[in-house]
Amino acid sequence: MIKSRKHAQSRFNQHMSAALAAMLLPVAAHAVAAADEQAQAPQTLSEVKVQGAAEDTFKADRAVSAKYTEKLVDTAQTITVIKKELIEQQGAVSLTEALRNTPGVGAFFLGENGNTNTGDAIFMRGFDTSGSIYVDGVRDVGSITRDIFNIEQIDVLKGPAGTDNGRSAPTGSINLVSKRPQLEDAYLGSVTAGSGKQKRVTADVNQMINADSGSAFRLNALVQDSGNAARDVVENKRWAVAPSLAFGLNGPTRLYLNYLHVKQDNIPDGGVLTIGLPGYTAPVTAAMTAEQRAALNAALNSAPRVDPKNFYGSEKDHDNVTADQFTARVEHDFANGVKLQNTTRYGKNKQDYLLTAFMATSANLIVTGTPDTWTMARTTLTYKDQTNKVLTNQTNVTAEFGTGAVKHTLVAGLEFITEKQTNYTLATTPGTTITRTSIYNPNPSTPQTFTYARTGAQAVGSTDTQAVYLFDTAKFGDWIINGGLRLDHFSTTYDSVAIQGTATPQTIPVGTRIATNLKVGDTLVNGKLSALYKLTPESSVYALAASSKAPPGGTNFSLSANANSAANPNYDPQETTNYEFGGKWDLLKQKLSLSAAVYRTTVKNEVEQDATSGTYFQTGEKRNQGVELGVTGEITRGWLVSAGYTRMSAKVTNGRAVAADGEVYLAYTPKQSFTSWTSYTLPFGLTVGGGVRFNDQLRRGTDGAVGTPSHIDSYWVADAMASYPLNKHIDLRLNVYNLTDKEYVAAINKSGYRYTPGQPRSGSLTANIKF
């Protein structure tokens, strides 16, 4: 094992060196040539003004947030901006797919026990970030798989975001920027067909209503009915519509009205058995006899790998989501340079989810005879009947002024948020039959008899937040100093009703309603301070310190009276501090951006049990430190590139191990990650492109499971693209994924019984239409 790791490390370093050399050598050569041309150019030229459409490029100048007033090169924090041009070239359709363009971010965690994560279960720098997803700067809640048909760009903020957003994940946040109406007439659409029965149609219609009043209408729509190239039975079926109106686009006062409706009718993926994967052994237990252990070892230790397409659930499984979101935004530019932005949003989404769950424990397996006769008990039906609601009003005021030689940009804001989550308890009726299924030839059509309904038990969690924040960016000479402070007063209530299901204890009759009422409230104070020095007008170095806090119940609105739960209202908020040092450089006439950063993130107040007394204390501490590199933009005319690399050391610095192999490293955190994409447009219009991605070995969590893999292996994946304009209205794009048909594990559950296979070699053909 040690030898193979060294060889894998050597191969990675060779691949990395070649990839970086291929990208950076042309950059250096072009920079030298540009410098020579500039030296020979005349010193005096007459002014020429040229108007034209902006070129499509992967590089963004700014993050779209009222709280970030400077260009990215002058912003002292790691921020990755993923533009729609990059997303479209890759044929990405979901948030998870788009986030492959930033290293160390992904859906690595499949779920716990028989449960499977739903929606965008994103991990970033070692921590769950699925509760820190925003749309146009406003928190977006609910277990929904976000489609990006109505998204202009994605801003990924790495490092604590408590000063920007209030309670949030320890390692960052994700903001999706919606498409807006424009003062032009444009009619765009796309039709896609591909592997896995993929069928997808989108439309993007922008119509100017009145040029004098600056009013316009835009409609984005989507219909998709697709399978999954990696899996049998799994379906991704949805439709969505997003109309928006804008008024006053050419004036000082602008009004935007947006509505989003999404309907998903999916068949969820419960994963594949890990039997046959590296690290799998028979799940023998101490309670088994020697003969039983020997028989199980003989059958399973050399068992072949199951087909990664196998579906172990039922055709009755479903994941139905309905989401509605209405947003009104008013912007006003005052005569003295002060800008006002007010956003009001109401959102609601409802999820009806059923999954036939399985865990391949020794008690659930029958492995006598030949493998084609082996069967497994599907243990239970897992449900989710959940509704999320959010009502938000956010006001930002931006002002610029001077105090002597110092120029200030001040951002002040107020935010009022009411969030509510309701979970209804479901149960099957007596006589329910959950059939066994074959391990190597499962049949999702095997008859199952069950009905389910709400029992009357439910849990309602709600959080009310009132926040005030202030940011000041001070410029003097070559220095930019930024400071921010945010106060969040929150109140979380959790009311649950359980139904006593057995006669134990005897004093509580069956059917008795048992109510639980828990509350927690506090004021969170977060801040950040950075200093940035301009080496040149196009480059900078900086230092940053920032904090973040996550109170009990801050992610899922659920409080607990259990002493071992961080959601216990008696505990203090989880506290995060982050220190970052980095540099940024725009070159080639600001068309190409380079960035580098080193950071250390420390998370305190983790709940741990004292080994002697058995009492729980908030003494646990976790730390992630590392380096991240990035390059984005245009190398030469028509040659675009986007690439990133990160190396992380994520550890438990105080407390018990959380990884299954007993090491102190955090689970679901690849030590190294690399992502890249490049494309080149030939003179006759053909665009060719492609990229490679690397994810290092990934440890799973620990829950005492026996015999399952403790980690998943590292992997490289290569994708390619070619597009060609048939005429001025239609162009075709071919995407091929996983060119080498690499078999790899994309995610694994906490027990290690189940995994999500990576996408096999597959493809799609898209016709893009514009008028």
Side-chain angles (χ1 to χ4, degrees):
M1 176 63 72
I2 294 175
K3 182 179 180 181
S4 65
R5 286 183 181 176
K6 287 182 178 179
H7 286 182
Q9 177 73 16
S10 176
R11 288 194 301 271
F12 176 83
N13 290 335
Q14 292 171 4
H15 285 302
M16 181 58 62
S17 298
L20 290 178
M23 286 185 291
L24 295 180
L25 285 177
V27 173
H30 187 75
V32 171
D36 290 341
E37 291 176 3
Q38 183 177 2
Q40 298 173 8
Q43 299 300 309
T44 304
L45 294 173
S46 59
E47 182 180 8
V48 177
K49 293 183 179 180
V50 178
Q51 292 182 341
E55 297 180 29
D56 291 342
T57 179
F58 299 163
K59 180 179 179 293
D61 288 332
R62 300 173 181 270
V64 180
S65 171
K67 300 159 190 172
Y68 288 90
T69 59
E70 306 303 312
K71 292 183 177 181
L72 290 175
V73 71
D74 295 333
T75 300
Q77 192 159 356
T78 299
I79 301 177
T80 300
V81 176
I82 307 169
K83 293 183 61 179
K84 64 178 177 60
E85 287 80 5
L86 175 58
I87 295 169
E88 289 171 355
Q89 277 198 11
Q90 296 173 341
V93 300
S94 68
L95 173 61
T96 301
E97 292 174 350
L99 289 174
R100 292 172 182 168
N101 291 292
T102 182
V105 180
F108 307 125
F109 178 43
L110 182 57
E112 294 192 28
N113 299 320
N115 295 314
T116 299
N117 283 336
T118 62
D120 296 316
I122 306 298
F123 266 65
M124 181 191 300
R125 288 186 175 178
F127 292 87
D128 186 357
T129 316
S130 55
S132 297
I133 298 176
Y134 299 79
V135 176
D136 299 322
V138 177
R139 190 186 304 274
D140 193 44
V141 295
S143 299
I144 183 172
T145 299
R146 293 165 180 84
D147 198 288
I148 51 179
F149 78 104
N150 189 42
I151 299 303
E152 193 73 29
Q153 71 180 46
I154 302 170
D155 298 340
V156 183
L157 172 65
K158 295 186 177 181
T163 314
D164 304 286
N165 302 317
R167 72 178 197 278
S168 61
T171 51
S173 63
I174 300 163
N175 182 45
L176 288 74
V177 182
S178 302
K179 295 177 180 178
R180 283 184 166 190
Q182 307 291 328
L183 284 179
E184 62 179 5
D185 293 339
Y187 310 96
L188 309 175
S190 69
V191 179
T192 301
S195 304
K197 301 179 182 179
Q198 183 184 19
K199 300 179 289 293
R200 178 181 171 93
V201 178
T202 66
D204 183 355
V205 177
N206 193 97
Q207 180 69 52
M208 181 171 59
I209 299 174
N210 186 288
D212 294 334
S213 64
S215 56
F217 171 78
R218 189 166 185 173
L219 175 67
N220 277 270
L222 158 75
V223 177
Q224 176 170 317
D225 187 356
S226 301
N228 186 315
R231 309 285 288 113
D232 290 336
V233 182
V234 174
E235 286 187 4
N236 296 295
K237 186 177 181 180
R238 54 185 176 266
W239 68 270
V241 61
S244 55
L245 274 170
F247 302 93
L249 292 178
N250 52 3
T253 303
R254 299 168 296 280
L255 171 64
Y256 298 91
L257 301 174
N258 308 315
Y259 174 67
L260 173 66
H261 176 80
V262 179
K263 185 72 170 67
Q264 298 181 0
D265 297 293
N266 304 324
I267 296 180
D269 187 359
V272 182
L273 289 169
T274 54
I275 292 175
L277 285 185
Y280 180 88
T281 59
V284 296
T285 63
M288 300 170 65
T289 65
E291 292 78 7
Q292 290 173 327
R293 289 197 295 271
L296 203 61
N297 283 328
L300 289 176
N301 286 353
S302 59
R305 183 175 179 178
V306 303
D307 187 340
K309 284 183 173 288
N310 281 356
F311 181 80
Y312 293 94
S314 165
E315 288 182 336
K316 291 187 178 182
D317 293 351
H318 60 264
D319 183 11
N320 300 332
V321 176
T322 302
D324 293 279
Q325 185 183 96
F326 174 78
T327 306
R329 172 168 287 180
V330 178
E331 298 176 351
H332 182 73
D333 301 332
F334 292 92
N336 56 2
V338 177
K339 298 180 180 180
L340 171 70
Q341 181 189 89
N342 179 268
T343 303
T344 300
R345 173 174 297 161
Y346 173 75
K348 177 182 178 181
N349 64 62
K350 176 176 172 54
Q351 183 178 25
D352 173 17
Y353 172 85
L354 169 67
L355 177 70
T356 306
F358 61 92
M359 290 199 304
T361 63
S362 57
N364 295 330
L365 299 176
I366 298 178
V367 292
T368 57
T370 58
D372 62 308
T373 65
W374 295 356
T375 63
M376 172 186 62
R378 292 181 286 190
T379 54
T380 186
L381 302 174
T382 57
Y383 313 93
K384 184 183 287 187
D385 185 356
Q386 179 177 290
T387 301
N388 285 88
K389 298 179 182 179
V390 58
L391 177 62
T392 301
N393 183 267
Q394 181 187 101
T395 302
N396 295 295
V397 178
T398 304
E400 296 182 356
F401 59 93
T403 55
V406 182
K407 295 181 180 180
H408 295 268
T409 302
L410 202 67
V411 179
L414 293 170
E415 188 168 24
F416 302 93
I417 315 172
T418 295
E419 301 163 276
K420 183 178 181 181
Q421 178 174 286
T422 303
N423 284 285
Y424 299 94
T425 301
L426 303 175
T428 54
T429 59
T432 294
T433 299
I434 306 175
T435 58
R436 302 184 68 86
T437 190
S438 168
I439 289 177
Y440 285 95
N441 299 288
N443 181 6
S445 300
T446 302
Q448 297 194 94
T449 304
F450 62 84
T451 59
Y452 62 95
R454 293 178 179 176
T455 65
Q458 66 179 46
V460 181
S462 62
T463 298
D464 292 329
T465 306
Q466 305 85 42
V468 58
Y469 46 88
L470 181 68
F471 298 86
D472 184 20
T473 302
K475 300 179 183 179
F476 51 94
D478 294 323
W479 288 93
I480 301 177
I481 308 298
N482 178 269
L485 186 68
R486 178 177 176 125
L487 279 70
D488 288 86
H489 177 74
F490 74 94
S491 175
T492 297
T493 60
Y494 179 72
D495 300 310
S496 67
V497 176
I499 307 297
Q500 182 65 27
T502 65
T504 303
Q506 297 292 335
T507 54
I508 304 178
V510 174
T512 300
R513 296 170 65 88
I514 304 172
T516 301
N517 307 103
L518 299 171
K519 294 183 180 181
V520 64
D522 200 355
T523 298
L524 305 179
V525 180
N526 285 298
K528 67 178 180 179
L529 180 65
S530 67
L532 181 145
Y533 181 74
K534 297 288 293 181
L535 297 172
T536 69
E538 289 79 30
S539 63
S540 63
V541 292
Y542 65 86
L544 165 73
S547 71
S548 184
K549 292 184 176 69
T555 301
N556 56 9
F557 311 99
S558 176
L559 298 174
S560 172
N562 295 330
N564 64 343
S565 172
N568 190 309
N570 294 323
Y571 287 134
D572 294 327
Q574 177 194 68
E575 295 185 2
T576 304
T577 55
N578 182 71
Y579 300 97
E580 181 176 319
F581 302 90
K584 300 181 181 183
W585 184 21
D586 283 352
L587 66 161
L588 303 183
K589 299 180 179 180
Q590 301 183 9
K591 292 184 177 182
L592 189 72
S593 173
L594 304 180
S595 63
V598 293
Y599 64 89
R600 170 177 284 189
T601 301
T602 303
V603 182
K604 298 180 179 180
N605 287 349
E606 297 284 275
V607 177
E608 294 290 341
Q609 186 179 28
D610 183 80
T612 303
S613 67
T615 305
Y616 288 91
F617 299 96
Q618 284 190 290
T619 56
E621 181 177 293
K622 298 173 182 177
R623 185 183 69 205
N624 189 359
Q625 58 188 17
V627 59
E628 184 160 335
L629 309 175
V631 54
T632 306
E634 185 179 58
I635 298 176
T636 63
R637 184 173 179 84
W639 184 7
L640 305 179
V641 64
S642 173
Y645 167 75
T646 186
R647 183 181 180 94
M648 297 181 284
S649 174
K651 297 182 178 182
V652 177
T653 51
N654 188 38
R656 63 181 177 86
V658 296
D661 58 6
E663 297 288 342
V664 297
Y665 291 97
L666 297 186
Y668 311 108
T669 308
K671 186 175 182 179
Q672 296 183 93
S673 291
F674 174 72
T675 181
S676 65
W677 185 266
T678 185
S679 67
Y680 185 76
T681 302
L682 298 166
F684 58 92
L686 175 66
T687 300
V688 292
V692 294
R693 291 177 283 116
F694 173 81
N695 270 317
D696 213 340
Q697 182 189 91
L698 196 74
R699 293 175 170 84
R700 68 168 176 86
T702 179
D703 62 359
V706 178
T708 55
S710 62
H711 65 272
I712 58 179
D713 291 334
S714 61
Y715 61 87
W716 285 90
V717 177
D719 303 324
M721 176 276 300
S723 67
Y724 183 75
L726 298 180
N727 53 51
K728 66 179 182 179
H729 297 300
I730 300 175
D731 68 73
L732 295 180
R733 187 186 70 244
L734 174 67
N735 289 90
V736 181
Y737 307 102
N738 195 354
L739 286 168
T740 62
D741 203 21
K742 169 72 175 179
E743 289 189 359
Y744 65 97
V745 176
I748 191 168
N749 82 318
K750 189 173 183 180
S751 303
Y753 292 118
R754 300 177 291 116
Y755 78 97
T756 301
Q759 185 177 14
R761 183 190 294 127
S762 54
S764 65
L765 182 64
T766 300
N768 293 304
I769 305 164
K770 58 183 177 181
F771 290 95

